[in-house]
Amino acid sequence: MNRQDIYFEDAEPGTRYTSETHLVTAEDIARFCELTRDHHPLHTDAQYARTRGFPGVIAHGLYGLALMEGLKTSLGLYENSSIASLGWDDVRFVRAVVAGDRVHVAFEFVDKRPTSKPGRGIVHEMLYLINQHGQIVIQARHASLLACRASTTCA
């Protein structure tokens, strides 16, 4: 997607965005295992995962959280306006992300405030990773530091 950058002034609480869908594969999960060195059998052994009540290997919760950020980034909303991620709060892994799930991100701006430094402000977003059944699998609140369009003040 190719959208115009959202600067601090543009972030209106209540405004919502939705990403495209992503297919989570067993190979994606295996690569995340290698990257993080977390080879728990829930993520590597479908038979073991079934003994724990899952239909197959499941993704790490942190994989899902990272994917949320990636899907949000794919919208192209902050290409020139993002300064930093300030952190994630109230992260909840509501349901398992299973290999074969098709997920997307829905998020909305919930509030914002200027900072003491000119030219920047903090925006809070509420994000949801949603599977092909319309179920929320992960939800979290994220704080972003965004540039202002005017370099001296934020409205």
Side-chain angles (χ1 to χ4, degrees), residues 35-58:
L35 180 66
T36 62
R37 303 177 52 86
D38 179 351
H39 298 277
H40 190 280
L42 284 171
H43 312 304
T44 60
D45 183 338
Q47 183 175 350
Y48 176 86
R50 283 191 287 280
T51 70
R52 297 298 182 254
F54 301 105
V57 294
I58 62 170

PDB file of all heavy atoms in Angstrom, residues 35-58:
ATOM      1  N   LEU A  35      15.930 -17.750  14.696  1.00  0.00           N
ATOM      2  CA  LEU A  35      16.344 -16.386  14.999  1.00  0.00           C
ATOM      3  C   LEU A  35      16.417 -16.141  16.504  1.00  0.00           C
ATOM      4  O   LEU A  35      17.354 -15.503  16.988  1.00  0.00           O
ATOM      5  CB  LEU A  35      15.365 -15.402  14.351  1.00  0.00           C
ATOM      6  CG  LEU A  35      15.645 -13.924  14.554  1.00  0.00           C
ATOM      7  CD1 LEU A  35      16.938 -13.521  13.858  1.00  0.00           C
ATOM      8  CD2 LEU A  35      14.484 -13.097  14.005  1.00  0.00           C
ATOM      9  N   THR A  36      15.459 -16.654  17.252  1.00  0.00           N
ATOM     10  CA  THR A  36      15.380 -16.362  18.691  1.00  0.00           C
ATOM     11  C   THR A  36      15.968 -17.456  19.572  1.00  0.00           C
ATOM     12  O   THR A  36      16.078 -17.258  20.780  1.00  0.00           O
ATOM     13  CB  THR A  36      13.913 -16.157  19.110  1.00  0.00           C
ATOM     14  OG1 THR A  36      13.186 -17.370  18.873  1.00  0.00           O
ATOM     15  CG2 THR A  36      13.290 -14.989  18.363  1.00  0.00           C
ATOM     16  N   ARG A  37      16.304 -18.604  18.977  1.00  0.00           N
ATOM     17  CA  ARG A  37      16.841 -19.748  19.714  1.00  0.00           C
ATOM     18  C   ARG A  37      15.794 -20.368  20.650  1.00  0.00           C
ATOM     19  O   ARG A  37      16.127 -21.043  21.610  1.00  0.00           O
ATOM     20  CB  ARG A  37      18.125 -19.386  20.452  1.00  0.00           C
ATOM     21  CG  ARG A  37      19.215 -18.852  19.525  1.00  0.00           C
ATOM     22  CD  ARG A  37      20.470 -18.432  20.250  1.00  0.00           C
ATOM     23  NE  ARG A  37      20.999 -19.454  21.139  1.00  0.00           N
ATOM     24  CZ  ARG A  37      21.820 -20.441  20.785  1.00  0.00           C
ATOM     25  NH1 ARG A  37      22.222 -20.550  19.528  1.00  0.00           N
ATOM     26  NH2 ARG A  37      22.260 -21.305  21.672  1.00  0.00           N
ATOM     27  N   ASP A  38      14.527 -20.129  20.361  1.00  0.00           N
ATOM     28  CA  ASP A  38      13.433 -20.690  21.148  1.00  0.00           C
ATOM     29  C   ASP A  38      12.835 -21.840  20.353  1.00  0.00           C
ATOM     30  O   ASP A  38      12.036 -21.634  19.450  1.00  0.00           O
ATOM     31  CB  ASP A  38      12.381 -19.612  21.428  1.00  0.00           C
ATOM     32  CG  ASP A  38      11.190 -20.154  22.223  1.00  0.00           C
ATOM     33  OD1 ASP A  38      11.071 -21.386  22.416  1.00  0.00           O
ATOM     34  OD2 ASP A  38      10.350 -19.331  22.636  1.00  0.00           O
ATOM     35  N   HIS A  39      13.265 -23.053  20.699  1.00  0.00           N
ATOM     36  CA  HIS A  39      12.838 -24.253  19.974  1.00  0.00           C
ATOM     37  C   HIS A  39      11.875 -25.106  20.807  1.00  0.00           C
ATOM     38  O   HIS A  39      11.911 -26.330  20.749  1.00  0.00           O
ATOM     39  CB  HIS A  39      14.055 -25.092  19.573  1.00  0.00           C
ATOM     40  CG  HIS A  39      14.982 -24.380  18.644  1.00  0.00           C
ATOM     41  ND1 HIS A  39      14.773 -24.333  17.292  1.00  0.00           N
ATOM     42  CD2 HIS A  39      16.107 -23.661  18.880  1.00  0.00           C
ATOM     43  CE1 HIS A  39      15.731 -23.635  16.715  1.00  0.00           C
ATOM     44  NE2 HIS A  39      16.554 -23.208  17.659  1.00  0.00           N
ATOM     45  N   HIS A  40      11.022 -24.469  21.584  1.00  0.00           N
ATOM     46  CA  HIS A  40      10.060 -25.215  22.385  1.00  0.00           C
ATOM     47  C   HIS A  40       9.221 -26.082  21.451  1.00  0.00           C
ATOM     48  O   HIS A  40       8.869 -25.662  20.345  1.00  0.00           O
ATOM     49  CB  HIS A  40       9.168 -24.250  23.173  1.00  0.00           C
ATOM     50  CG  HIS A  40       8.330 -24.949  24.185  1.00  0.00           C
ATOM     51  ND1 HIS A  40       7.162 -25.610  23.860  1.00  0.00           N
ATOM     52  CD2 HIS A  40       8.508 -25.120  25.517  1.00  0.00           C
ATOM     53  CE1 HIS A  40       6.650 -26.146  24.943  1.00  0.00           C
ATOM     54  NE2 HIS A  40       7.445 -25.864  25.973  1.00  0.00           N
ATOM     55  N   PRO A  41       8.877 -27.298  21.881  1.00  0.00           N
ATOM     56  CA  PRO A  41       8.129 -28.197  20.999  1.00  0.00           C
ATOM     57  C   PRO A  41       6.761 -27.682  20.549  1.00  0.00           C
ATOM     58  O   PRO A  41       6.241 -28.147  19.532  1.00  0.00           O
ATOM     59  CB  PRO A  41       8.007 -29.501  21.798  1.00  0.00           C
ATOM     60  CG  PRO A  41       8.519 -29.231  23.157  1.00  0.00           C
ATOM     61  CD  PRO A  41       9.289 -27.948  23.126  1.00  0.00           C
ATOM     62  N   LEU A  42       6.164 -26.729  21.262  1.00  0.00           N
ATOM     63  CA  LEU A  42       4.912 -26.150  20.771  1.00  0.00           C
ATOM     64  C   LEU A  42       5.104 -25.483  19.411  1.00  0.00           C
ATOM     65  O   LEU A  42       4.164 -25.385  18.626  1.00  0.00           O
ATOM     66  CB  LEU A  42       4.370 -25.111  21.757  1.00  0.00           C
ATOM     67  CG  LEU A  42       3.701 -25.641  23.016  1.00  0.00           C
ATOM     68  CD1 LEU A  42       3.413 -24.491  23.977  1.00  0.00           C
ATOM     69  CD2 LEU A  42       2.418 -26.387  22.674  1.00  0.00           C
ATOM     70  N   HIS A  43       6.343 -25.058  19.150  1.00  0.00           N
ATOM     71  CA  HIS A  43       6.654 -24.339  17.915  1.00  0.00           C
ATOM     72  C   HIS A  43       7.332 -25.217  16.861  1.00  0.00           C
ATOM     73  O   HIS A  43       7.501 -24.775  15.725  1.00  0.00           O
ATOM     74  CB  HIS A  43       7.567 -23.146  18.218  1.00  0.00           C
ATOM     75  CG  HIS A  43       7.100 -22.316  19.367  1.00  0.00           C
ATOM     76  ND1 HIS A  43       5.851 -21.741  19.421  1.00  0.00           N
ATOM     77  CD2 HIS A  43       7.717 -21.981  20.524  1.00  0.00           C
ATOM     78  CE1 HIS A  43       5.728 -21.073  20.560  1.00  0.00           C
ATOM     79  NE2 HIS A  43       6.834 -21.206  21.250  1.00  0.00           N
ATOM     80  N   THR A  44       7.700 -26.440  17.260  1.00  0.00           N
ATOM     81  CA  THR A  44       8.487 -27.274  16.343  1.00  0.00           C
ATOM     82  C   THR A  44       7.902 -28.663  16.088  1.00  0.00           C
ATOM     83  O   THR A  44       8.300 -29.320  15.129  1.00  0.00           O
ATOM     84  CB  THR A  44       9.919 -27.464  16.893  1.00  0.00           C
ATOM     85  OG1 THR A  44       9.847 -28.114  18.176  1.00  0.00           O
ATOM     86  CG2 THR A  44      10.649 -26.140  17.024  1.00  0.00           C
ATOM     87  N   ASP A  45       7.002 -29.110  16.940  1.00  0.00           N
ATOM     88  CA  ASP A  45       6.527 -30.495  16.871  1.00  0.00           C
ATOM     89  C   ASP A  45       4.990 -30.512  16.890  1.00  0.00           C
ATOM     90  O   ASP A  45       4.364 -30.322  17.942  1.00  0.00           O
ATOM     91  CB  ASP A  45       7.099 -31.264  18.068  1.00  0.00           C
ATOM     92  CG  ASP A  45       6.749 -32.738  18.085  1.00  0.00           C
ATOM     93  OD1 ASP A  45       5.749 -33.145  17.456  1.00  0.00           O
ATOM     94  OD2 ASP A  45       7.474 -33.502  18.769  1.00  0.00           O
ATOM     95  N   ALA A  46       4.394 -30.748  15.732  1.00  0.00           N
ATOM     96  CA  ALA A  46       2.930 -30.716  15.612  1.00  0.00           C
ATOM     97  C   ALA A  46       2.273 -31.749  16.517  1.00  0.00           C
ATOM     98  O   ALA A  46       1.221 -31.470  17.120  1.00  0.00           O
ATOM     99  CB  ALA A  46       2.518 -30.929  14.157  1.00  0.00           C
ATOM    100  N   GLN A  47       2.877 -32.936  16.630  1.00  0.00           N
ATOM    101  CA  GLN A  47       2.285 -33.971  17.481  1.00  0.00           C
ATOM    102  C   GLN A  47       2.286 -33.517  18.935  1.00  0.00           C
ATOM    103  O   GLN A  47       1.290 -33.673  19.640  1.00  0.00           O
ATOM    104  CB  GLN A  47       3.046 -35.285  17.323  1.00  0.00           C
ATOM    105  CG  GLN A  47       2.434 -36.419  18.116  1.00  0.00           C
ATOM    106  CD  GLN A  47       3.124 -37.749  17.859  1.00  0.00           C
ATOM    107  OE1 GLN A  47       3.930 -37.876  16.962  1.00  0.00           O
ATOM    108  NE2 GLN A  47       2.783 -38.729  18.684  1.00  0.00           N
ATOM    109  N   TYR A  48       3.381 -32.953  19.391  1.00  0.00           N
ATOM    110  CA  TYR A  48       3.446 -32.435  20.757  1.00  0.00           C
ATOM    111  C   TYR A  48       2.397 -31.335  20.950  1.00  0.00           C
ATOM    112  O   TYR A  48       1.683 -31.313  21.963  1.00  0.00           O
ATOM    113  CB  TYR A  48       4.844 -31.897  21.077  1.00  0.00           C
ATOM    114  CG  TYR A  48       4.929 -31.263  22.443  1.00  0.00           C
ATOM    115  CD1 TYR A  48       5.180 -32.035  23.574  1.00  0.00           C
ATOM    116  CD2 TYR A  48       4.736 -29.893  22.613  1.00  0.00           C
ATOM    117  CE1 TYR A  48       5.232 -31.459  24.831  1.00  0.00           C
ATOM    118  CE2 TYR A  48       4.792 -29.307  23.863  1.00  0.00           C
ATOM    119  CZ  TYR A  48       5.034 -30.091  24.974  1.00  0.00           C
ATOM    120  OH  TYR A  48       5.091 -29.516  26.225  1.00  0.00           O
ATOM    121  N   ALA A  49       2.299 -30.410  20.008  1.00  0.00           N
ATOM    122  CA  ALA A  49       1.337 -29.312  20.117  1.00  0.00           C
ATOM    123  C   ALA A  49      -0.088 -29.857  20.223  1.00  0.00           C
ATOM    124  O   ALA A  49      -0.898 -29.320  20.993  1.00  0.00           O
ATOM    125  CB  ALA A  49       1.478 -28.364  18.928  1.00  0.00           C
ATOM    126  N   ARG A  50      -0.374 -30.935  19.505  1.00  0.00           N
ATOM    127  CA  ARG A  50      -1.710 -31.539  19.580  1.00  0.00           C
ATOM    128  C   ARG A  50      -1.978 -32.100  20.980  1.00  0.00           C
ATOM    129  O   ARG A  50      -3.113 -32.054  21.457  1.00  0.00           O
ATOM    130  CB  ARG A  50      -1.892 -32.604  18.500  1.00  0.00           C
ATOM    131  CG  ARG A  50      -2.145 -31.999  17.113  1.00  0.00           C
ATOM    132  CD  ARG A  50      -2.580 -33.029  16.095  1.00  0.00           C
ATOM    133  NE  ARG A  50      -1.509 -33.908  15.660  1.00  0.00           N
ATOM    134  CZ  ARG A  50      -0.583 -33.589  14.736  1.00  0.00           C
ATOM    135  NH1 ARG A  50      -0.638 -32.409  14.125  1.00  0.00           N
ATOM    136  NH2 ARG A  50       0.353 -34.425  14.405  1.00  0.00           N
ATOM    137  N   THR A  51      -0.934 -32.635  21.650  1.00  0.00           N
ATOM    138  CA  THR A  51      -1.139 -33.145  23.016  1.00  0.00           C
ATOM    139  C   THR A  51      -1.449 -32.014  23.990  1.00  0.00           C
ATOM    140  O   THR A  51      -1.908 -32.274  25.102  1.00  0.00           O
ATOM    141  CB  THR A  51       0.094 -33.923  23.536  1.00  0.00           C
ATOM    142  OG1 THR A  51       1.176 -33.020  23.768  1.00  0.00           O
ATOM    143  CG2 THR A  51       0.494 -35.046  22.594  1.00  0.00           C
ATOM    144  N   ARG A  52      -1.227 -30.803  23.582  1.00  0.00           N
ATOM    145  CA  ARG A  52      -1.505 -29.634  24.425  1.00  0.00           C
ATOM    146  C   ARG A  52      -2.771 -28.894  23.980  1.00  0.00           C
ATOM    147  O   ARG A  52      -3.056 -27.807  24.433  1.00  0.00           O
ATOM    148  CB  ARG A  52      -0.315 -28.672  24.420  1.00  0.00           C
ATOM    149  CG  ARG A  52       0.963 -29.250  25.003  1.00  0.00           C
ATOM    150  CD  ARG A  52       0.726 -29.611  26.491  1.00  0.00           C
ATOM    151  NE  ARG A  52       1.934 -30.124  27.114  1.00  0.00           N
ATOM    152  CZ  ARG A  52       2.133 -31.414  27.415  1.00  0.00           C
ATOM    153  NH1 ARG A  52       1.216 -32.312  27.102  1.00  0.00           N
ATOM    154  NH2 ARG A  52       3.237 -31.789  28.010  1.00  0.00           N
ATOM    155  N   GLY A  53      -3.510 -29.518  23.027  1.00  0.00           N
ATOM    156  CA  GLY A  53      -4.801 -28.977  22.631  1.00  0.00           C
ATOM    157  C   GLY A  53      -4.791 -28.079  21.404  1.00  0.00           C
ATOM    158  O   GLY A  53      -5.822 -27.478  21.077  1.00  0.00           O
ATOM    159  N   PHE A  54      -3.668 -27.990  20.715  1.00  0.00           N
ATOM    160  CA  PHE A  54      -3.584 -27.171  19.506  1.00  0.00           C
ATOM    161  C   PHE A  54      -3.650 -28.071  18.275  1.00  0.00           C
ATOM    162  O   PHE A  54      -3.247 -29.228  18.321  1.00  0.00           O
ATOM    163  CB  PHE A  54      -2.281 -26.365  19.501  1.00  0.00           C
ATOM    164  CG  PHE A  54      -2.138 -25.460  20.684  1.00  0.00           C
ATOM    165  CD1 PHE A  54      -1.289 -25.766  21.722  1.00  0.00           C
ATOM    166  CD2 PHE A  54      -2.898 -24.295  20.778  1.00  0.00           C
ATOM    167  CE1 PHE A  54      -1.164 -24.943  22.829  1.00  0.00           C
ATOM    168  CE2 PHE A  54      -2.789 -23.454  21.876  1.00  0.00           C
ATOM    169  CZ  PHE A  54      -1.923 -23.777  22.909  1.00  0.00           C
ATOM    170  N   PRO A  55      -4.125 -27.542  17.143  1.00  0.00           N
ATOM    171  CA  PRO A  55      -4.239 -28.373  15.937  1.00  0.00           C
ATOM    172  C   PRO A  55      -2.898 -28.626  15.237  1.00  0.00           C
ATOM    173  O   PRO A  55      -2.825 -29.453  14.334  1.00  0.00           O
ATOM    174  CB  PRO A  55      -5.172 -27.563  15.035  1.00  0.00           C
ATOM    175  CG  PRO A  55      -5.043 -26.160  15.505  1.00  0.00           C
ATOM    176  CD  PRO A  55      -4.739 -26.226  16.971  1.00  0.00           C
ATOM    177  N   GLY A  56      -1.871 -27.940  15.618  1.00  0.00           N
ATOM    178  CA  GLY A  56      -0.541 -28.085  15.022  1.00  0.00           C
ATOM    179  C   GLY A  56       0.399 -27.105  15.677  1.00  0.00           C
ATOM    180  O   GLY A  56       0.066 -26.515  16.716  1.00  0.00           O
ATOM    181  N   VAL A  57       1.578 -26.922  15.074  1.00  0.00           N
ATOM    182  CA  VAL A  57       2.541 -26.005  15.678  1.00  0.00           C
ATOM    183  C   VAL A  57       1.942 -24.602  15.753  1.00  0.00           C
ATOM    184  O   VAL A  57       1.180 -24.193  14.873  1.00  0.00           O
ATOM    185  CB  VAL A  57       3.899 -25.972  14.929  1.00  0.00           C
ATOM    186  CG1 VAL A  57       4.608 -27.308  15.044  1.00  0.00           C
ATOM    187  CG2 VAL A  57       3.747 -25.550  13.496  1.00  0.00           C
ATOM    188  N   ILE A  58       2.291 -23.924  16.823  1.00  0.00           N
ATOM    189  CA  ILE A  58       1.796 -22.564  17.022  1.00  0.00           C
ATOM    190  C   ILE A  58       2.975 -21.591  16.991  1.00  0.00           C
ATOM    191  O   ILE A  58       4.115 -21.953  17.284  1.00  0.00           O
ATOM    192  CB  ILE A  58       1.011 -22.417  18.340  1.00  0.00           C
ATOM    193  CG1 ILE A  58       1.886 -22.715  19.554  1.00  0.00           C
ATOM    194  CG2 ILE A  58      -0.227 -23.303  18.310  1.00  0.00           C
ATOM    195  CD1 ILE A  58       1.242 -22.368  20.890  1.00  0.00           C
TER     196      ILE A  58
END
